[in-house]
Amino acid sequence: QVQLVESGGGLVQAGGSLRLSCAVSGRTFSTYALAWSRQAPGKERELIAGISRSGANTYYTDSVKGRFTISRDNAKNTVYLQMNSLKPEDTGVYYCAGQLAYGSTWLPLSVDEYNYWGQGTQVTVSS
């Protein structure tokens, strides 16, 4: 069983930065593709960033490109999301997700392809 625990959310002013962390336990961390998704109030959960098990392949949805950076530290079993230049529309609950990867560069791009999820952390960006 894989367990994911997010931390680092909070309230920040527009233009500010936050770094989210997700600690992963239970299985070999390096065998999982990992991602961050976001659910804004009244909207469906969307995948906003992902990273392959090797770290060589990353994905960003258009709305966060150039502002957010996903990274992973296999020695610490942790995946991060550095969020800069935050906007009010970035407000939502951020979830960490993981999926067993069958290749080092394989990276699912849909929330439906991830089987393991954290409990979420709230990010609120004030204008």
Side-chain angles (χ1 to χ4, degrees):
Q1 188 73 13
V2 177
Q3 296 166 336
L4 300 92
V5 179
E6 303 96 335
S7 60
L11 174 64
V12 63
Q13 288 189 334
S17 298
L18 281 175
R19 188 175 82 154
L20 304 183
S21 299
C22 175
V24 182
S25 62
R27 290 290 181 93
T28 305
F29 177 81
S30 61
T31 62
Y32 281 77
L34 298 161
W36 288 94
S37 69
R38 174 174 70 197
Q39 187 162 20
K43 295 187 177 181
E44 293 186 353
R45 193 176 298 191
E46 63 167 334
L47 199 75
I48 59 171
I51 188 165
S52 61
R53 57 184 269 189
S54 68
N57 193 12
T58 57
Y59 161 81
Y60 300 95
T61 195
D62 287 345
S63 63
V64 308
K65 282 181 182 176
R67 300 188 298 122
F68 291 11
T69 302
I70 188 170
S71 61
R72 63 189 296 161
D73 186 335
N74 286 352
K76 295 183 177 180
N77 287 8
T78 302
V79 60
Y80 304 98
L81 186 67
Q82 178 66 44
M83 305 186 295
N84 299 329
S85 302
L86 282 161
K87 305 175 181 180
E89 50 264 43
D90 294 317
T91 293
V93 180
Y94 284 68
Y95 297 91
C96 177
Q99 179 57 34
L100 184 65
Y102 299 100
S104 62
T105 59
W106 181 70
L107 182 56
L109 301 184
S110 167
V111 294
D112 295 332
E113 296 180 89
Y114 288 85
N115 285 332
Y116 302 100
W117 292 86
Q119 81 289 349
T121 186
Q122 176 70 44
V123 172
T124 303
V125 184
S126 62
S127 57

